[in-house]
Amino acid sequence: MVAKWKAFLGKIKILRSLKARLFFIILLAGIIPSTGMRYAILQSYEDRSINVRIADVQNQFKILANHLIIYGYLHDTSSEVVNSELDQLSNLYDGRVLIIDKNFKVIKDTYGISEGKTVISEEVIMCFKGTSTTNYDRKNGYIEITTPIVDTVVSAGAGAKPEETEEANLAEGVILSSVSTNTIMTTLDILNRRALIAELIALVFIVAIAFALAKLLTAPFERVTQAINDVKAGFTDEQISVNDYVETEHIVDAFNQLLGRMKVLDDSRQEFVSNVSHELKTPLTSMKVLADSLLMQEEVPAELYKEFMTDIANEIERENKIINDLLSLVKMDKKAADLNVTSVDVNELLELILKRLRPIARRKEIEIIFESIRPVTAEVDEVKLTLALSNLVENAIKYNNPSGWVKVTLDADHQFFSVEVADSGIGIPEEAQEHIYERFYRVDKSHSREIGGTGLGLAITRSVILMHRGSIKVMSEEGKGTVFNVKIPLIHPV
Ligand code: ADP
């Protein structure tokens, strides 16, 4: 229900504006109490007027009841005095008076229509028992009052026993009167109209105040938007500050942090571009030097041609490798959603990688050992994970000593599988360990280049592992060897 209501409000565009909401809230906060107060005051005025009228009428009719007894009106309705008093009262209250005798017969009706008829209503019966009743009919604008006609002289008779007194207290007759409340209603109407005018005037002020307040309260948010727009338009690249509210401070802080991150990203992008150009230019420069030196010589011996052309071919291969690595890296920079996740037998995947790399290892007389603690099947992107793990094993071979070893261990618990690639190689200096995942970072540039490194391998590996929501750790000691530990969830978290 709440959600539906929210969705409905969300669809009305103006209600999605904070300013509009504040305006309506302030408006309601102004209108509800004043309207409520108007109703409460008018209601209490009405209640009080009705009560005063009832008390007044009851007093008058008590006196009339006495007169009815004194003049024996219940037995003979010809009394001039009583009749004129009745006319007077019905005129005064703009109402109708009925006198009912013990037999429930109407002996007098000031309207002259019900005389002789019998009236047996609940109110009349109650009144005969001594309780006068009042009944306010708001819709039709009258109050119905019953007053008992009691012979107090008889009831106060000497020597009467208590139960006899009660008997005697029973009414001889009942005055049933309907009194119009028109005058009270007219006053109420006038009051209501005046209050409404006052309220309308107040409403104009409330609208003005609500509008001004809503504008004032939302101004800091507009300042935040303006400041962000300024940054967007490039007028400033400094940190922005709007400290009016804790909330705006939070937004601005978050934005500044984002700005900071964007700056870092931009710097790293620029650095990346300049690194890429440099890396791509190096083989080209070598090729140009080689080609130029061939061209400058008049008669070049065939062996020299062959030697230089081999060097040029090597440089082309290197250029090709860099471009391929760059393309892989660019692919990794895309979102993790691009992962093509399937259920993969990781043991088999590692066997295949090692099978492909064994000939290269053999050339350096390096032994590759594979230890699989348990069979592992995981939800991974087979192609990307192969690339990532190949890079680790390739590095373990590349940066190894002749006749060294590489040990790959696969294990798993109920949540993750881990691949450990350990080698007996040259190791990574401690200060370099935090940089090895950076693009184009190489501990020893010339050595890495010599053995065909591009400096992109670990950057690719790390991206792939992070895309799989995994982690990679390195432990290494210079001259002793390196251990890379990769941990990846068995089930890919969506
Ligand atoms: P490269 O293409 O140069 O191998 P990587 O990104 O794969 O680039 O690795 C970055 C650097 O980290 C390498 O140049 C090398 O200096 C160091 N490195 C990576 N793996 C190892 C290892 N197993 N043993 C020693 N050094 C390593």
Side-chain angles (χ1 to χ4, degrees), residues 269-285 319 322 326 440:
R269 191 181 53 88
Q270 278 183 8
E271 194 190 314
F272 180 60
V273 170
S274 81
N275 280 343
V276 168
S277 339
H278 176 78
E279 294 295 329
L280 290 178
K281 258 174 87 180
T282 320
L284 282 178
T285 317
E319 183 95 42
I322 295 174
L326 274 174
F440 295 115

Side-chain angles (χ1 to χ4, degrees), residues 395-396 398-399 423 426-428 436 441-444 448 453-459 482 484:
N395 279 352
K398 274 196 304 194
Y399 302 102
D423 66 55
I426 57 172
I428 306 166
I436 51 174
Y441 180 83
R442 279 157 291 190
V443 176
D444 179 348
S448 165
T454 58
L456 295 171
L458 285 181
T482 307
F484 277 98

Side-chain angles (χ1 to χ4, degrees), residues 269 271-281 283 318-334 387 391 438-440 454-457 459-460 463:
R269 191 181 53 88
E271 194 190 314
F272 180 60
V273 170
S274 81
N275 280 343
V276 168
S277 339
H278 176 78
E279 294 295 329
L280 290 178
K281 258 174 87 180
R318 190 175 151 63
E319 183 95 42
N320 202 19
K321 192 169 177 350
I322 295 174
I323 290 170
N324 281 338
D325 277 2
L326 274 174
L327 286 176
S328 306
L329 200 63
V330 169
K331 268 192 221 153
M332 301 305 155
D333 278 350
K334 286 192 186 166
L387 185 67
N391 281 341
E438 289 168 13
R439 292 173 291 199
F440 295 115
T454 58
L456 295 171
I460 295 170
S463 297

Side-chain angles (χ1 to χ4, degrees), residues 289-333:
V289 170
L290 289 165
D292 279 351
S293 58
L294 280 182
L295 287 173
M296 264 155 54
Q297 291 179 42
E298 288 285 298
E299 272 171 30
V300 188
E303 304 84 63
L304 199 66
Y305 247 117
K306 205 167 176 196
E307 192 192 325
F308 276 31
M309 284 316 279
T310 314
D311 288 347
I312 288 175
N314 284 341
E315 290 300 331
I316 290 172
E317 197 182 312
R318 190 175 151 63
E319 183 95 42
N320 202 19
K321 192 169 177 350
I322 295 174
I323 290 170
N324 281 338
D325 277 2
L326 274 174
L327 286 176
S328 306
L329 200 63
V330 169
K331 268 192 221 153
M332 301 305 155
D333 278 350

